[in-house]
Amino acid sequence: MSELDELFSNNRAWAEKMTREDPEFFSRLTHQQSPAYLWVGCADSRVPANEIVGLLPGELFVHRNVANVVVHTDLNSISVIQFAVDVLRVRHIIVCGHYGCGGVLAALRDDRLGLVDNWLRHVQDVRDKHRDELKALNSIDDRHDRLCELNVIEQVLNVSQTTVVRDAWARGQSVSVNGLIYGLEDGLLQDLGIHINGVDDIPDAWKNSRAFRSGEHDATSSWPDSTAVVDPY
């Protein structure tokens, strides 16, 4: 018996269920893809994008990687953003991280995991940028949660600085870039308060963000010093 048999069985059951509930569902999917949202999330198997926001196939365009990172030189993520904005004409880009992210924890502790260490160097740049705030927190768990939040904020800013998004704004296309974080413990999304609708929003995006949990963190700081360097925890 193939180790994939369970997946095929589950797939057939799902397809039959969808057809029972909506006989035209798959017919519509073959003719149209018009999602309003692009989801940039973590590859973690515990964070299924469509399911946690209750959207069906065809309603959410999804890109996922380790620790929901957007790098300007990564043609994979930039190509997804370009296709979503220019071709699908999505109206909202959502960067969604999650508490308990293993990639963020590895970056925080400077763990060595292999090739992925080079990818997580981008998250360590976020860690280093916010050295003082992270060191002021009392526990590794608090620092981990905070870095998960900060990483989302930084990736929202990165998306907003891409040529794809800036060109869309320049031609008058409506595109918002937003930061959310998901809780594994309760299954709920939190709004981190960063919503960028145009170039003019970028300078104030950091200080306007509520990248803190239940008021536990200081959100009054100005744009952080990008030259800060930190020793690994």
Side-chain angles (χ1 to χ4, degrees):
M1 177 180 290
S2 169
E3 294 182 357
L4 301 181
D5 282 351
E6 181 182 2
L7 300 184
F8 286 115
S9 177
N10 291 345
N11 170 250
R12 286 191 293 271
W14 172 78
E16 291 169 0
K17 176 178 178 291
M18 297 302 296
T19 302
R20 283 196 307 272
E21 295 177 353
D22 182 356
E24 302 301 321
F25 177 73
F26 290 108
S27 177
R28 288 197 307 275
L29 278 185
T30 60
H31 293 97
Q32 180 175 310
Q33 177 181 211
S34 56
Y37 310 94
L38 166 61
W39 177 281
V40 179
C42 183
D44 193 301
S45 61
R46 300 167 294 178
V47 191
N50 284 71
E51 291 184 38
I52 66 177
V53 292
L55 293 180
L56 293 171
E59 296 180 335
L60 188 70
F61 198 58
V62 177
H63 175 74
R64 298 169 68 180
N65 60 48
V66 176
N68 44 272
V69 173
V70 177
V71 183
H72 295 286
T73 54
D74 175 28
L75 294 182
N76 189 341
S77 60
I78 299 302
S79 295
V80 170
I81 294 171
Q82 187 271 326
F83 189 85
V85 171
D86 293 352
V87 180
L88 297 177
R89 310 284 289 187
V90 300
R91 298 188 298 277
H92 308 283
I93 300 174
I94 297 167
V95 178
C96 184
H98 67 96
Y99 294 119
C101 180
V104 171
L105 182 61
L108 177 65
R109 299 190 307 198
D110 204 22
D111 293 343
R112 295 303 300 271
L113 303 178
L115 182 63
V116 73
D117 298 342
N118 298 278
W119 179 254
L120 294 176
R121 178 65 248 181
H122 300 294
V123 183
Q124 289 182 318
D125 290 342
V126 178
R127 177 200 68 181
D128 296 352
K129 188 174 181 178
H130 301 278
R131 169 193 58 187
D132 293 340
E133 181 178 357
L134 292 171
K135 281 192 171 183
L137 298 176
N138 294 326
S139 70
I140 184 67
D141 290 339
D142 287 343
R143 290 194 290 270
H144 185 199
D145 285 351
R146 182 55 173 157
L147 186 54
C148 289
E149 297 167 345
L150 293 169
N151 185 50
V152 171
I153 301 301
E154 294 291 347
Q155 305 316 318
V156 168
L157 294 170
N158 286 347
V159 172
S160 301
Q161 296 283 11
T162 62
T163 57
V164 173
V165 172
R166 291 173 71 93
D167 287 348
W169 287 333
R171 61 177 176 262
Q173 185 174 339
S174 177
V175 181
S176 69
V177 189
N178 313 273
L180 308 179
I181 194 159
Y182 176 74
L184 295 175
E185 294 183 352
D186 58 14
L188 297 178
L189 289 169
Q190 293 188 46
D191 185 351
L192 290 176
I194 183 164
H195 307 281
I196 302 178
N197 297 289
V199 173
D200 292 341
D201 291 343
I202 295 176
D204 291 330
W206 174 261
K207 64 183 180 182
N208 290 340
S209 169
R210 65 161 299 276
F212 58 95
R213 295 176 297 127
S214 303
E216 294 177 9
H217 302 291
D218 179 15
T220 61
S221 59
S222 59
W223 194 282
D225 178 10
S226 62
T227 63
V229 177
V230 66
D231 294 329
Y233 292 106

